Amino acid sequence: MLKHIRNNVVWELPEDYKGCMKVPGRLYATEKLIDEMEKGVFDQVANVACLPGIYGYSIALPDAHYGYGFPIGGVAAFDVEEGVVSPGGVGYDINCGVRVMKTDLTEDDVRPKLRELLETIFRNVPAGLGSRHRRVRLSAQELRQVMLYGAEWAVEEGYGFEEDLDHIESRGNMTHAYETIGWDEYGPRDDVASKRAIERGRPQLGTLGSGNHFLEVQVVDEIYNEEAAEKIGIREEGQVTIMVHTGSRGFGHQVCSDHLRIMERSMRDVERRFGVRIPDRQLACAAMGTDEAKRYFNAMNAAANYAFANRQMISHWTRESFVEVFGDDYGDADDMGIEVIYDIAHNMAKIEKHPVNGEERWLVVHRKGATRAFSEEALKKHGEPVPFEGLPQPVLIPGDMGTGSYILIGTEKAMKETWGSTCHGAGRTMSRAAAKRKFWGEDVARELERQGILVKAASMPVVAEEAPPAYKDVDEVVRAVAEAGISDPVVRLRPIGVVKG
């Protein structure tokens, strides 16, 4: 079924796997990861390859697992004039993303007060499904400002610093991303979210959430590229970093639900327009240029801004927590060197210019459970901030809470092969329900503590859901993207403290 292409990490799913496929499938994974993938992943890769206007390949990355419509860990690019946008190619948690901050503290500095630090973060950063408390109470009008300005709104309100924005994809405001490339009609607007989305979004801004969302205190475990590490502020093994993983919460979920319903009702029109039959109703989509497509993009980008603001606020309270615990010994956040390395989005569709058959074309690049891995030149071409001069865009790959995470950088090969994309994490091997049946949260927490990793969680069932064996081996996942050449490892980070909702 799969044809080996190169390095034992690049595979092809031929177009005859399913009769409607317009392009082949392309999978980036080691043989071990291929063997672990559900057959449903291959079927979803093939289904995506049937959508109108697709170019190149329907791509699955090494963390790929079965999702809604698209596989999680899927990438596909469509022509802006002859193609479509599909909410299933973005997902419900719009701009679920990761932020990494570095500090000048070491594990020896932090370890003696680690439990106190986690308790302080847990108190200062609302976490959990509904969040047991909230620190911000927005009016509907204030939420509309968040929809328009994202992390910039948060900084203006006192959550962090102006220089943080230069280290966030699209400066944390999707308005800039679309104004810069001349597609501002697809940027965020404050009049496209439903009343229900507003109701769900108002109480949840500045909250970590539950499930796979987390805040980790980590330590630099290994440095692979000393020059790149030094540029991003990593100088030695044992240096403490902070990783935040969360997204647009119930606001983004409602945006996705609302627009899926709209697009499901118009699918016959889409099929008539393109003369195709969409093989999976979860791939409900709208032709680019239509009102349905524009309104989805406007709402999706508003939800992305919400997520950028959310991570900015959580970062601010995390800095305050470090000062509260370590301030007497090490000074303020600036003295401790707590700075954003990068903040990167997962679960987005973006309008980007890429070469297709020797010609530059505007494409709608869907990345679901995937991230950009742009070269420095590509960042500049798209009007994106270059966080570190002379260095490609940082790539952040979180693993499970018992193993480790990685910082990588983008590559020219990713620009040529995967529309400047790479994986977004370890990827699940076990459903949350199956993990809860197999593991007991208290046992998982005790075993992690034996390994030197403290866990503070609002819910022990969530700890069971997120047990390390429920995830793929992140080292194997990163080995796949590195050997494929679509991102280069810089440092490996290991967790010492985990906060979960």
Side-chain angles (χ1 to χ4, degrees):
M1 177 181 63
L2 285 178
K3 184 170 76 172
H4 173 243
I5 302 298
R6 72 168 192 273
N7 292 14
N8 291 321
V9 293
V10 185
W11 310 81
E12 189 167 294
L13 188 69
E15 289 182 52
D16 60 7
Y17 182 84
K18 181 168 283 195
C20 61
M21 291 173 69
K22 303 176 186 302
V23 296
R26 177 64 69 89
L27 292 93
Y28 292 81
T30 62
E31 289 189 66
K32 178 178 184 291
L33 293 170
I34 289 287
D35 289 342
E36 291 174 352
M37 282 185 188
E38 314 104 307
K39 180 180 180 296
V41 170
F42 306 135
D43 293 338
Q44 290 189 320
V45 167
N47 289 341
V48 172
C50 298
L51 290 175
I54 188 169
Y55 281 125
Y57 301 93
S58 171
I59 297 169
L61 295 161
D63 53 340
H65 50 291
Y66 191 77
Y68 184 94
F70 278 55
I72 300 166
V75 177
F78 303 88
D79 190 274
V80 293
E81 295 177 355
E82 303 296 332
V84 296
V85 62
S86 173
V90 174
Y92 281 93
D93 194 357
I94 295 165
N95 188 8
C96 177
V98 176
R99 172 177 294 204
V100 169
M101 297 185 286
K102 69 92 175 173
T103 80
D104 291 339
L105 303 178
T106 67
E107 181 174 7
D108 288 343
D109 298 328
V110 170
R111 179 67 75 173
K113 292 185 175 181
L114 180 59
R115 194 176 298 277
E116 181 186 351
L117 175 63
L118 296 184
E119 293 282 355
T120 304
I121 292 172
F122 192 74
R123 184 174 66 249
N124 289 341
V125 178
L129 184 60
S131 294
R132 55 191 198 291
H133 69 276
R134 46 184 174 149
R135 299 187 59 173
V136 177
R137 296 179 182 272
L138 294 181
S139 67
Q141 184 55 38
E142 286 172 322
L143 179 54
R144 295 184 190 282
Q145 294 298 297
V146 174
M147 293 163 62
L148 288 175
Y149 301 111
E152 289 186 345
W153 172 89
V155 169
E156 287 179 5
E157 292 294 315
Y159 302 104
F161 309 104
E162 182 72 21
E163 52 266 33
D164 293 343
L165 302 175
D166 292 327
H167 293 258
I168 305 175
E169 183 176 338
S170 301
R171 284 182 57 84
N173 183 352
M174 293 305 297
T175 299
H176 296 310
Y178 286 87
E179 286 178 344
T180 302
I181 61 176
W183 292 81
D184 47 300
E185 63 184 322
Y186 285 87
R189 280 177 31 196
D190 65 350
D191 61 349
V192 288
S194 67
K195 181 180 178 182
R196 178 61 181 146
I198 296 288
E199 289 173 349
R200 293 184 68 181
R202 282 179 57 198
Q204 291 188 344
L205 188 67
T207 65
L208 188 61
S210 62
N212 65 339
H213 295 156
F214 64 78
L215 191 157
E216 283 187 1
V217 179
Q218 303 170 327
V219 171
V220 175
D221 190 48
E222 199 168 351
I223 298 175
Y224 308 106
N225 183 331
E226 290 186 1
E227 181 182 357
E230 186 176 354
K231 283 187 176 182
I232 67 174
I234 300 297
R235 66 181 189 276
E236 62 180 343
E237 294 178 4
Q239 186 174 346
V240 168
T241 61
I242 306 153
M243 180 175 280
V244 178
H245 177 212
T246 190
S248 52
R249 307 287 278 111
F251 181 72
H253 192 284
Q254 192 63 46
V255 164
C256 181
S257 297
D258 292 340
H259 287 271
L260 274 172
R261 281 194 292 270
I262 292 168
M263 292 186 189
E264 284 167 356
R265 291 196 294 267
S266 62
M267 280 306 294
R268 287 185 181 176
D269 292 336
V270 172
E271 291 177 331
R272 279 196 297 268
R273 176 181 183 134
F274 292 105
V276 299
R277 182 180 177 278
I278 306 300
D280 182 355
R281 306 316 286 179
Q282 292 184 358
L283 293 175
C285 53
M288 288 299 291
T290 62
D291 287 343
E292 291 92 343
K294 290 178 183 178
R295 288 182 66 81
Y296 170 68
F297 253 93
N298 296 150
M300 176 196 68
N301 284 315
N305 278 354
Y306 183 105
F308 283 133
N310 196 33
R311 292 195 288 275
Q312 182 66 28
M313 295 165 75
I314 289 170
S315 299
H316 174 70
W317 292 324
T318 302
R319 280 171 164 148
E320 289 187 335
S321 299
F322 267 77
V323 173
E324 189 174 335
V325 175
F326 298 107
D328 288 345
D329 296 320
Y330 299 104
D332 62 18
D334 189 50
D335 294 328
M336 287 185 244
I338 306 178
E339 298 174 356
V340 178
I341 292 177
Y342 203 56
D343 182 308
I344 193 170
H346 311 155
N347 296 359
M348 289 292 294
K350 285 195 163 184
I351 297 174
E352 300 170 357
K353 185 173 273 190
H354 292 272
V356 178
N357 300 324
E359 178 187 358
E360 290 277 315
R361 298 191 67 91
W362 287 106
L363 308 178
V364 185
V365 182
H366 294 61
R367 298 182 180 93
K368 179 182 182 181
T371 72
R372 276 181 167 179
F374 271 16
S375 65
E376 183 182 16
E377 180 185 355
L379 289 173
K380 292 176 178 177
K381 182 172 79 172
H382 287 87
E384 290 279 346
V386 177
F388 304 99
E389 197 65 34
L391 203 65
Q393 171 221 303
V395 172
L396 312 175
I397 307 297
D400 65 76
M401 60 184 171
T403 306
S405 300
Y406 284 81
I407 302 175
L408 305 90
I409 49 177
T411 66
E412 288 294 341
K413 183 162 278 189
M415 299 309 304
K416 293 174 182 175
E417 291 193 8
T418 61
W419 315 114
S421 309
T422 193
C423 64
H424 85 309
R428 295 191 74 94
T429 59
M430 189 183 300
S431 72
R432 290 187 170 88
K436 281 200 291 188
R437 287 194 297 269
K438 186 168 184 178
F439 304 107
W440 192 251
E442 288 82 353
D443 292 340
V444 173
R446 278 193 292 269
E447 175 56 31
L448 289 170
E449 185 166 357
R450 280 194 288 269
Q451 298 171 31
I453 303 165
L454 301 184
V455 178
K456 179 66 180 178
S459 162
M460 279 298 126
V462 169
V463 175
E465 290 176 3
E466 297 298 302
Y471 282 86
K472 299 180 184 183
D473 180 351
V474 70
D475 297 326
E476 187 83 356
V477 168
V478 169
R479 183 168 76 85
V481 296
E483 290 189 8
I486 59 174
S487 27
D488 289 335
V490 177
V491 300
R492 188 183 191 275
L493 311 169
R494 60 178 170 83
I496 59 172
V498 182
V499 174
K500 294 196 72 69

